[in-house]
Each structure stands twice: as C-alpha cells, then as structure tokens.
Amino acid sequence: MPSSATDHALMRLPFEEWISLSVAAQHAEVDESTAATLARVGRRRGILRSRGKGPAQQVMRIYPGPRRPRTRALGLQQ
C-alpha cells in the first residue's frame, strides 16, 4: 500500500505503457508542473522511465510497486 502522497500518485500511472506528461497529470490528479516533478522523483526512485523533452516528454512506470531509495545509517558507512 502506498505510504505517501508521492507513492500514491506514482502508483496511479499505468504500468508498462508510455503516456505523455499531460496524461500522467490526469492519472495522478495533479497539474502538469507537479507531474514533471513527479516524473523526476519517479526516475530517481527507479519507478519511471522517460523519453523526450518539454511538452513532448513521455513517461512509463516500470516498477510494479512503491519503491524508495536506500538510506545508509550514519554509523554503517565504510
């Protein structure tokens, strides 16, 4: 189950289907500028792929569930 608003919005995007940012915004129920930010976060987490730039940008969800980057505990870094 998604644990944050970002996770929830990312999971609303169709799986393994290229869609434009404007369509992604509709699926996630956010405006287009927020969809661009969401795409950036999704790419960083390994959930989304993107192609194109600007208004022609498309995204595709490539991971089936919520995913967060690993964080290192301060005392465990070597």
Side-chain angles (χ1 to χ4, degrees):
M1 180 60 84
S3 59
S4 73
T6 300
D7 290 338
H8 182 72
L10 287 168
M11 293 303 103
R12 292 184 64 109
L13 302 180
F15 184 63
E16 295 185 336
E17 177 185 330
W18 287 108
I19 58 173
S20 68
L21 272 184
S22 61
V23 172
Q26 292 172 359
H27 279 279
E29 297 178 356
V30 296
D31 60 40
E32 288 191 35
S33 65
T34 303
T37 301
L38 190 64
R40 188 169 48 253
V41 170
R43 286 192 312 267
R44 287 181 184 159
R45 290 184 183 182
I47 295 173
L48 298 180
R49 279 199 180 137
S50 65
R51 66 181 180 191
K53 292 184 180 182
Q57 184 178 10
Q58 294 181 319
V59 294
M60 176 173 59
R61 185 163 61 98
I62 59 169
Y63 199 79
R67 186 179 199 186
R68 295 181 181 244
R70 292 184 187 200
T71 57
R72 294 183 181 187
L74 292 176
L76 300 177
Q77 294 180 354
Q78 295 182 358

